[in-house]
Amino acid sequence: MNAKIISISPNDDIKDSIVKMKKFGISQMPVIEDHKAIGLISESTLLDALMSNKGKKVEDIMEEPPPTISKTASIKVISS
């Protein structure tokens, strides 16, 4: 596990996310605002946006954030 999270801001240009994903060799990354994951951006999201001219900013095309749980969550909570 990497201690440094590679992320993008919702106000960043879509082009910036492409450059960052290419630089780090990743296919998706969280969209972070005020130290909180507010969305997710992936290669497929980017391709769809570029093909359909959906927007210029990450916030225009980001998906919902992935689910998060507490480190102390029980297996019962996680499994449901």
Side-chain angles (χ1 to χ4, degrees):
M1 188 168 148
N2 190 348
K4 183 180 179 204
I5 297 173
I6 300 163
S7 63
I8 194 96
S9 167
N11 298 319
D12 287 340
D13 290 334
I14 292 172
K15 190 181 226 181
D16 296 334
S17 63
I18 295 168
V19 169
K20 191 176 270 191
M21 290 168 78
K22 188 174 180 180
K23 176 182 177 182
F24 291 101
I26 55 177
S27 60
Q28 61 184 359
M29 66 181 156
V31 180
I32 305 286
E33 186 173 57
D34 296 327
H35 305 289
K36 184 179 178 187
I38 62 164
L40 184 72
I41 193 161
S42 66
E43 285 179 343
S44 61
T45 306
L46 289 167
L47 288 172
D48 287 344
L50 292 173
M51 290 179 66
S52 62
N53 247 351
K54 282 188 180 173
K56 301 269 186 211
K57 300 285 184 183
V58 169
E59 66 188 348
D60 298 331
I61 65 164
M62 68 184 186
E63 300 172 12
E64 290 186 25
T68 56
I69 58 168
S70 166
K71 288 193 284 187
T72 58
S74 70
I75 193 72
K76 186 176 182 177
V77 170
I78 295 168
S79 65
S80 61

